[in-house]
Amino acid sequence: MRVWKLAKGINRPLTRPTVKINRRSSSTSADRESRLETTTTWAAATARAGEVDQRHRRRPTMPKLRAARLLCLILLGGRRARTASSFSPSPSSTVRGGGAVGGVTSTSLRGVRSAVRRARDSILSRERTDEDLKDGIAFFYDRSSKLWEDVWGEHMHHGYYIPADRTDHIQAQIDLIDEVLKWAGVDDDKPPKTVVDVGCGIGGSSRHIVRKYDGCTAKGITLSPYQANRGNELAKEAGLSDRASFQVADALNMPFADSSSDLVWSLESGEHMPDKPKFVGELMRVAKPGGRVILVTWCHRDLEPGEERLTKKEERILARINRAYFLPQWCSVDDYVRLLEDEGAVDVRREDWSYVIAPFWKAVIKSSLNLKSVVGLLRSGFSTIRGAYAMLLMLRGFQMGVIKFGLITCTKKEE
């Protein structure tokens, strides 16, 4: 309490207490002790005031601190700093002799420094760590999935635009699923009984597949708790809860037994995987011998003979997209083919469908230019707003020819 009172009067000069001494009288021992105690008290008070003054100068006021956090959050677009009110001080963080909590300042400043670092990395388009990517993906899709469903429905992927001028966008998304299955030869083979949907979104693909093939069941995984819960809700509403289920899990460590699925399906999730060899290894591990793997993903273009890397311009635009969508480094379809062959895959086929889905991004951008979408964007937070802006970058990347929409399929070798 004494420290708090000093802090309240921090702008007032601390005056030395006046001590009246009768110099004519003899200086008794009691007088000397009294003067010594008064001087010591003044010195201690001065020291404490100096400490509080230094803290006051170093520490921004709480409104300024919150404003700094808000600015960093806007620049970052997602990861929230801890607030001082959520800090639970340990006994050692309490200042002795008073009620001020020193831990609040240090924790607040650490949160601001961390947010500033992330904002700086975002502006410079620096790569995130694997852990930051996982947290960011979950946060991004937790915040954006409801808006996407409100505008576009249950399918969170590109559409099949043949003919190119079609405007039935939701049906185009459904058609993409059917056309990919047809292209991969699933319709020609024995219908799958068990499906794993890697990066399932809110489960639109899984529910469509189990409706398409009699007796088929699907299990989907996502990093987003919102998506998993919403997927299960929609399955229950459709009367498919016994055939399609969804859970939070990491695609690099899937909770499924070896050789347990007839079809392992990954529709536009591979681009989020920081460890592509491990990702491909998991797809092949879960597939049954003779089972099929289908991988549909954004890739960068294949390198030309003699090229060792993309151009600087191409790398810059991909880096900016990475920050918005929480993506690691990109790879090419050629890279995926080599990884699958290294895992023993057979009958590997590939195709570039960039031209098939080319109208999609323009359609998405156009759909965001209405009041409902704008209000939804503002409510979803800055990470979703930044993702919407990144659609322009995706469109530009497609037009440059650096971004490709790749299809790869293979079968797991029979034992």
Side-chain angles (χ1 to χ4, degrees):
M1 184 60 69
R2 292 168 63 188
V3 175
W4 171 245
K5 288 181 179 178
L6 287 170
K8 289 178 66 177
I10 197 69
N11 293 323
R12 296 196 301 270
L14 184 64
T15 57
R16 182 167 182 163
T18 303
V19 181
K20 294 183 179 181
I21 301 174
N22 187 355
R23 296 186 181 278
R24 291 183 180 180
S25 62
S26 60
S27 179
T28 65
S29 175
D31 291 335
R32 288 193 298 272
E33 290 179 1
S34 178
R35 289 196 299 273
L36 180 60
E37 182 180 355
T38 302
T39 302
T40 302
T41 302
W42 175 84
T46 302
R48 287 194 297 273
E51 292 175 2
V52 174
D53 186 54
Q54 290 300 316
R55 292 195 197 101
H56 179 76
R57 291 175 182 173
R58 286 197 305 265
R59 185 174 94 182
T61 60
M62 288 309 296
K64 291 180 179 179
L65 195 60
R66 291 183 182 124
R69 278 206 196 98
L70 180 59
L71 175 62
C72 293
L73 181 59
I74 290 173
L75 290 172
L76 173 64
R79 305 221 16 221
R80 295 161 286 188
R82 289 170 62 186
T83 61
S85 62
S86 68
F87 174 70
S88 179
S90 63
S92 60
S93 66
T94 305
V95 179
R96 293 195 178 195
V101 180
V104 173
T105 303
S106 60
T107 301
S108 300
L109 290 178
R110 281 198 301 272
V112 170
R113 291 192 193 103
S114 177
V116 168
R117 174 182 57 79
R118 293 195 299 269
R120 177 198 62 203
D121 292 346
S122 182
I123 293 170
L124 297 177
S125 298
R126 291 179 176 172
E127 290 184 37
R128 292 182 172 93
T129 65
D130 291 359
E131 197 62 31
D132 284 343
L133 285 172
K134 288 177 61 176
D135 291 345
I137 291 165
F139 180 81
F140 177 78
Y141 286 110
D142 279 349
R143 297 299 298 272
S144 64
S145 294
K146 184 180 186 303
L147 174 62
W148 182 275
E149 183 185 359
D150 290 344
V151 177
W152 280 80
E154 63 179 336
H155 297 287
M156 305 184 70
H157 54 78
H158 292 74
Y160 184 81
Y161 286 90
I162 294 180
D165 61 349
R166 68 184 299 182
T167 57
D168 52 339
H169 304 300
I170 294 177
Q171 184 60 46
Q173 291 177 296
I174 297 172
D175 289 350
L176 182 75
I177 301 171
D178 289 333
E179 292 297 331
V180 169
L181 292 168
K182 180 180 177 180
W183 171 83
V186 177
D187 289 348
D188 300 331
D189 298 334
K190 182 180 178 181
K193 294 297 183 182
T194 51
V195 176
V196 167
D197 187 352
V198 184
C200 60
I202 58 174
S205 298
S206 292
R207 288 187 295 275
H208 181 76
I209 290 173
V210 299
R211 290 190 190 102
K212 184 180 180 71
Y213 301 114
D214 291 337
C216 179
T217 61
K219 295 180 179 179
I221 60 171
T222 172
L223 289 175
S224 166
Y226 175 88
Q227 289 187 337
N229 291 334
R230 183 58 180 153
N232 287 320
E233 287 176 359
L234 291 172
K236 184 177 181 180
E237 291 173 8
L240 296 171
S241 56
D242 59 332
R243 298 177 61 194
S245 61
F246 309 95
Q247 61 182 302
V248 175
D250 186 353
L252 300 183
N253 187 23
M254 290 194 279
F256 306 122
D258 296 355
S259 303
S260 57
S261 180
D262 296 322
L263 174 62
V264 182
W265 166 272
S266 175
L267 180 57
E268 298 180 34
S269 64
E271 53 272 10
H272 283 299
M273 308 303 168
D275 189 336
K276 298 296 193 294
K278 190 172 183 180
F279 170 55
V280 170
E282 280 291 279
L283 299 180
M284 294 298 292
R285 178 185 68 80
V286 173
K288 290 181 179 179
R292 182 165 296 279
V293 172
I294 300 177
L295 178 58
V296 182
T297 184
W298 310 345
C299 294
H300 68 62
R301 64 174 179 83
D302 292 337
L303 297 180
E304 298 294 336
E307 272 190 315
E308 295 184 358
R309 57 188 299 174
L310 299 174
T311 67
K312 292 291 185 182
K313 184 177 181 180
E314 290 171 332
E315 289 180 345
R316 279 196 299 270
I317 193 169
L318 294 183
R320 292 171 66 187
I321 293 170
N322 290 352
R323 292 300 304 188
Y325 289 136
F326 297 91
L327 305 179
Q329 288 189 344
W330 295 50
C331 72
S332 67
V333 174
D334 267 350
D335 295 327
Y336 272 121
V337 170
R338 283 193 294 269
L339 291 172
L340 287 165
E341 289 175 344
D342 289 344
E343 290 289 335
V346 296
D347 301 325
V348 181
R349 293 194 296 120
R350 54 168 290 176
E351 195 162 323
D352 180 4
W353 275 22
S354 300
Y355 70 96
V356 173
I357 56 87
F360 174 78
W361 287 107
K362 290 181 180 179
V364 174
I365 293 168
K366 186 177 180 181
S367 73
S368 67
L369 302 178
N370 59 66
L371 181 60
K372 179 181 178 181
S373 297
V374 171
V375 172
L377 277 173
L378 295 175
R379 288 177 176 174
S380 297
F382 196 81
S383 62
T384 306
I385 296 172
R386 186 175 59 176
Y389 160 71
M391 294 178 191
L392 298 172
L393 298 177
M394 287 293 299
L395 180 60
R396 184 180 175 191
F398 275 118
Q399 292 171 344
M400 289 171 57
V402 65
I403 294 178
K404 299 294 184 180
F405 191 76
L407 274 64
I408 310 104
T409 187
C410 66
T411 56
K412 185 172 181 178
K413 189 175 181 179
E414 295 275 6
E415 295 178 348

